[in-house]
Amino acid sequence: TTKAIKKINAKSKFGLTGTPMENNLVELWSIFDFVMPGYLYSKHRFEKIFVNNDKNLELLKQMIKPFILRRTKQEVLEELPDKIENNIKIAFNKEEENLYIANLSQINSELKTALDVERIDKIQILAMMTRLRQICCDARILYNEIIGPSSKMKACLDIIKKAKENNQKVLLFSSFTSSLDLLEKELRKEDISYYVLTGATNKIKRHQLVNAFQNDNTDVFLISLKAGGTGLNLTAASIVIHFDPWWNMSAQNQATDRAYRIGQTNNVQVYKLIMKNSIEEKIQELQAQKQDLSNIFIENN
């Protein structure tokens, strides 16, 4: 996509985005390289001057400030209700803790072996981290012999039940469709109505589900983060649950904004479910670092 749009020949160019920077400063360079080619130097020189040298960050801030027009949702939509974010820290039970530690120990051994070879397989490392993330969600994703929902699943169901009692509709996002499959089973047991949207949902069905959820009494919308994080209007919901943290805050914020947008008349409660003493807390730290970058260069604070 980047290579294609940079071939466009035009006298004037603009970049319009709600998430100019999700992970690192190079994403900001890429936008400027389209709008004003050469202004922030070549990618290699930009990385050398700014990415690898914190001393020059103030200079970068001064260079880009005249060319960024930033409007926040609060400035544009004064009547928008409040958004209240809640970090829900959940402790492993003893069996879950033992299983997590055993996997962590095994992964540390595998990682040590991987680091001993000349070239590190990044995909292999990502797979190791994914395994830990899945155990945090529900160990049944990986182990067929485990019976019953995880501590996180139980905490999530408690939030959903309370929402149902108060006639509040829920959007639930997860980066694992396997988590959504398990949640479906639990919701059926509790006689809680739901819809599901994943990457396998076609466009027509997707449109039908959104319209139905907006107008009927269905309690919960289970949504795959990548498939439903953008482009949906689901203001009938006033509660958003992030079942597991994603690598950057931008993707989660975009997902939350399915409910927190024009047309929302109720305060929106956002619940982020995090397992204590796990990789999920590390991911939250990573999110905070990336958000700091965005605050410095985009929000100008």
Side-chain angles (χ1 to χ4, degrees):
T1 306
T2 303
K3 287 177 181 177
I5 66 164
K6 286 180 182 178
K7 289 179 182 176
I8 295 171
N9 183 21
K11 289 182 179 179
S12 299
K13 297 177 184 177
F14 295 87
L16 179 64
T17 171
T19 52
M21 197 162 50
E22 290 192 10
N23 295 298
N24 55 58
L25 282 173
V26 176
E27 293 167 340
L28 192 65
W29 170 85
S30 185
I31 295 172
F32 270 86
D33 192 53
F34 164 71
V35 176
M36 302 163 66
Y39 179 66
L40 292 183
Y41 318 118
S42 67
K43 179 171 175 281
H44 175 73
R45 192 175 174 200
F46 176 84
E47 289 179 321
K48 185 177 180 182
I49 295 173
F50 299 114
V51 179
N52 301 326
N53 192 341
D54 290 346
K55 293 178 182 177
N56 292 328
L57 293 185
E58 188 58 38
L59 171 62
L60 176 60
K61 190 175 176 181
Q62 291 172 10
M63 288 177 72
I64 66 173
K65 188 177 179 181
F67 305 103
I68 294 180
L69 174 65
R70 177 73 171 135
R71 297 194 306 168
T72 64
K73 193 169 283 188
Q74 284 68 28
E75 289 170 336
V76 179
L77 304 173
E78 293 179 2
E79 75 280 7
L80 203 63
D82 291 336
K83 177 175 69 173
I84 301 108
E85 300 197 355
N86 309 276
N87 280 325
I88 309 297
K89 295 289 184 83
I90 305 156
F92 287 118
N93 64 34
K94 196 60 186 173
E95 292 77 11
E96 290 168 339
E97 185 180 25
N98 290 340
L99 185 64
Y100 183 87
I101 290 171
N103 273 270
L104 184 61
S105 177
Q106 183 183 350
I107 284 169
N108 279 335
S109 299
E110 291 173 10
L111 189 58
K112 188 175 184 303
T113 303
L115 289 171
D116 286 339
V117 299
E118 286 186 15
R119 189 169 178 218
I120 298 171
D121 184 348
K122 292 181 181 178
I123 301 299
Q124 184 187 2
I125 292 172
L126 185 62
M128 293 173 185
M129 291 191 287
T130 299
R131 197 196 319 170
L132 292 178
R133 292 177 60 219
Q134 288 173 326
I135 291 171
C136 288
C137 290
D138 195 304
R140 290 178 295 173
I141 295 173
L142 299 175
Y143 299 96
N144 294 328
E145 61 272 21
I146 291 177
I147 300 169
S150 65
S151 296
K152 176 179 276 198
M153 188 79 68
K154 289 176 182 175
C156 180
L157 289 168
D158 284 344
I159 295 170
I160 292 172
K161 287 176 190 174
K162 287 173 186 172
K164 182 178 170 65
E165 289 171 8
N166 294 313
N167 295 316
Q168 292 176 288
K169 304 185 91 168
V170 177
L171 303 184
L172 187 146
F173 292 94
S174 177
S175 47
F176 299 112
T177 55
S178 47
S179 290
L180 301 183
D181 293 339
L182 292 172
L183 277 159
E184 275 193 75
K185 293 177 183 176
E186 300 303 326
L187 292 176
R188 282 198 294 268
K189 287 179 190 175
E190 300 291 341
D191 197 28
I192 296 171
S193 57
Y194 65 89
Y195 293 131
V196 184
L197 191 155
T198 68
T201 310
N202 65 47
K203 286 184 180 179
I204 295 172
K205 182 69 173 175
R206 179 186 174 101
H207 185 65
Q208 289 172 343
L209 289 173
V210 169
N211 284 341
F213 185 78
Q214 284 288 88
N215 295 294
D216 66 19
N217 295 319
T218 303
D219 301 306
V220 183
F221 207 150
L222 303 174
I223 305 175
S224 164
L225 186 68
K226 284 195 174 183
T230 56
L232 301 177
N233 186 354
L234 294 165
T235 50
S238 58
I239 290 179
V240 178
I241 299 173
H242 290 287
F243 194 70
D244 47 276
W246 187 239
W247 299 105
N248 59 61
M249 187 62 78
S250 300
Q252 285 188 208
N253 288 341
Q254 283 182 327
T256 298
D257 287 349
R258 299 315 94 219
Y260 191 63
R261 60 197 297 111
I262 294 172
Q264 181 56 264
T265 56
N266 300 308
N267 289 343
V268 175
Q269 292 276 352
V270 183
Y271 295 96
K272 299 171 186 176
L273 308 186
I274 303 294
M275 296 307 293
K276 290 181 182 176
N277 302 317
S278 77
I279 190 172
E280 291 190 334
E281 289 187 327
K282 301 293 183 184
I283 292 172
Q284 274 206 315
E285 290 173 17
L286 187 65
Q287 286 180 345
Q289 290 169 14
K290 292 176 180 180
Q291 190 63 48
D292 284 346
L293 272 182
S294 180
N295 287 342
I296 291 168
F297 294 103
I298 309 303
E299 306 296 345
N300 196 30
N301 60 37

